[in-house]
Amino acid sequence: MTITREDVLQALSTVPLDAGGTPLSASGRLTDILIEDGGRVVFAIVIDPSEATRMEPVRQAAVAAVQRVSGVGSVLASLTAERPASAGAQTPPSPHPKAQSATPPQRTQRIPGVNHIIAVASGKGGVGKSTTACNLALALQSLGLRVGLLDADIYGPSVPKLLGIHGKPRLLENRILEPMEAYGLKVMSIGFLVDEEAAMIWRGPMVMSAITQMLREVAWGDLDVLVVDMPPGTGDAQLTMAQATPLAGAVIVSTPQDLALIDARRGVSMFKRVEIPILGIVENMATFICPHCGKTSHIFGHGGARAEAERLGVPFLGEIPLNMTIRELSDAGRPVVATDPDGPHTALYKAMASQVWATLSGGATARPAPRIVIE
Ligand code: ADP
């Protein structure tokens, strides 16, 4: 059974926004309503950050009301402090989001001074997403770019450790935080602000407001690229975050095993669903060269991510080997691109960075060229 935007608005008209009884549907507070195959309905309610507590029951009532619409499978509604260009009853949002478009819609306000924001994401944890985010950020910097790194992996912020940063950021005027610095990167992490156990139990709206704060209430200054280390997975929190961040594109990190590739595919489709271009897939922990005998082994299989990228029609950004030096340096807070700038692994990250930057700056297309077959 097909659900229409009107069905959803009809349900939301029964939810009062305030004591005055303004229906949520007519409040001008709704963002685009996405209706996915399978009956999942996704939308957000625009609030001022100070209204978060008062609006949480409204959000819950909205979920319950839409859930009652016949044909609806699940409902994801979040509170957002970002007012998208299309918010408001006057601008009817598109009920049928396209699968992917070349230029992403500006759902959320840009961050003044920050030219491109890119996500580094993975379908599951432990594949080397944060290690890739740090080294990619450093490799972009080695191209002469001004780069920031935002650790949004709220459930396991590891950037402070990977970059060896200790201490807390300074609070400047007007509640603005000064980013920390490491190896020339401007860095912000939830790990600087709360301890890990506290972040683990945060609910959706709290996660969103923490991310919003780290994006917008930080003195990033002028940056060419801000790399965002996303939380792993493709659940509701990740989807909401992808929607609420003005992303220019996403890099997906995967290991070569089939299972990781299934998760990576989910990651690709999550970003496509919210019309964020895929900058490419990275195969991490691809090959292992024995430091003693020099023999190459493919511990997790090999080449799966390249084949998957080809199948999905997205760029392949390269293979990073499973390497003791990468692990030891990462875990000691001395990422390989910073500590071994002329080494073979740095060259791989630099090639990845060049390809990403070419796509971002429109200098070249990173899509694989079509194969011409002469019969
Ligand atoms: P995620 O962010 O996906 O959870 P991390 O980047 O924290 O993953 O990496 C998990 C572990 O794997 C860390 O100990 C890290 O040093 C190690 N690691 C990541 N990439 C590599 C690699 N290419 N070779 C060896 N170890 C790696």
Side-chain angles (χ1 to χ4, degrees):
M1 138 147 237
T2 318
I3 312 151
T4 63
R5 180 173 168 269
E6 281 61 44
D7 296 336
V8 175
L9 285 175
Q10 175 65 36
L12 293 174
S13 71
T14 64
V15 178
L17 176 76
D18 47 30
T22 312
L24 186 55
S25 55
S27 63
R29 301 268 202 143
L30 290 174
T31 61
D32 281 4
I33 297 168
L34 307 184
I35 300 166
E36 300 169 10
D37 295 345
R40 192 160 106 124
V41 179
V42 184
F43 59 92
I45 303 165
V46 180
I47 60 161
D48 184 89
S50 62
E51 297 176 312
T53 311
R54 183 177 77 73
M55 292 296 285
E56 175 58 11
V58 176
R59 187 192 70 80
Q60 287 174 13
V63 171
V66 176
Q67 194 71 69
R68 284 193 290 272
V69 174
S70 155
V72 168
S74 63
V75 182
L76 167 62
S78 57
L79 299 176
T80 175
E82 305 307 319
R83 179 171 285 273
S86 61
Q90 301 85 342
T91 328
S94 156
H96 301 298
K98 282 188 272 120
Q100 191 183 23
S101 70
T103 38
Q106 280 297 320
R107 276 192 194 77
T108 55
Q109 277 167 11
R110 297 187 61 240
I111 299 174
V114 178
N115 280 341
H116 305 278
I117 305 181
I118 64 170
V120 176
S122 63
K124 63 169 190 171
V127 299
K129 171 184 56 62
S130 300
T131 305
T132 307
C134 286
N135 283 303
L136 175 62
L138 288 162
L140 284 163
Q141 182 176 252
S142 77
L143 302 178
L145 301 169
R146 296 161 301 176
V147 184
L149 178 61
L150 169 57
D151 179 7
D153 189 347
I154 227 103
Y155 303 112
S158 51
V159 167
K161 180 177 166 217
L162 295 179
L163 292 177
I165 306 176
H166 305 284
K168 295 215 177 294
R170 235 161 37 97
L171 195 59
L172 306 173
E173 275 171 35
N174 302 325
R175 292 188 5 174
I176 300 288
L177 286 170
E178 183 176 52
M180 306 289 272
E181 282 219 31
Y183 304 104
L185 298 176
K186 290 189 175 167
V187 186
M188 183 49 64
S189 168
I190 196 74
F192 298 144
L193 308 175
V194 293
D195 56 54
E196 232 170 274
E197 288 78 35
M200 288 294 280
I201 54 165
W202 285 1
R203 287 172 299 116
M206 291 167 81
V207 171
M208 272 321 299
S209 72
I211 299 294
T212 306
Q213 234 174 310
M214 288 200 300
L215 265 175
R216 306 199 177 264
E217 295 175 21
V218 168
W220 290 112
D222 290 330
L223 294 181
D224 296 301
V225 187
L226 177 62
V227 177
V228 181
D229 182 10
M230 297 279 286
T234 50
D236 290 349
Q238 290 80 357
L239 183 68
T240 312
M241 199 181 292
Q243 265 180 314
T245 313
L247 290 172
V251 170
I252 310 284
V253 183
S254 180
T255 51
Q257 303 102 307
D258 284 351
L259 282 178
L261 285 166
I262 292 171
D263 290 315
R265 201 175 306 153
R266 287 206 190 100
V268 170
S269 79
M270 176 182 84
F271 285 104
K272 282 190 169 175
R273 204 183 307 155
V274 291
E275 298 185 49
I276 291 165
I278 304 296
L279 297 166
I281 297 182
V282 177
E283 184 167 282
N284 191 37
M285 309 190 190
T287 50
F288 177 71
I289 301 171
C290 174
H292 308 294
C293 67
K295 185 169 173 283
T296 301
S297 350
H298 299 123
I299 293 176
F300 298 130
H302 182 231
R306 183 190 289 273
E308 191 64 28
E310 229 163 75
R311 212 181 60 77
L312 296 170
V314 300
F316 181 66
L317 295 175
E319 295 170 7
I320 307 292
L322 176 68
N323 181 269
M324 283 288 276
T325 313
I326 296 180
R327 195 199 65 72
E328 281 167 4
L329 289 174
S330 266
D331 294 350
R334 300 167 59 235
V336 69
V337 171
T339 42
D340 187 15
D342 300 316
H345 301 121
T346 298
L348 296 172
Y349 286 114
K350 281 187 178 172
M352 188 191 301
S354 302
Q355 206 175 331
V356 165
W357 179 244
T359 311
L360 288 177
S361 59
T365 165
R367 278 175 192 281
R371 268 188 340 135
I372 299 168
V373 180
I374 301 168
E375 298 193 329

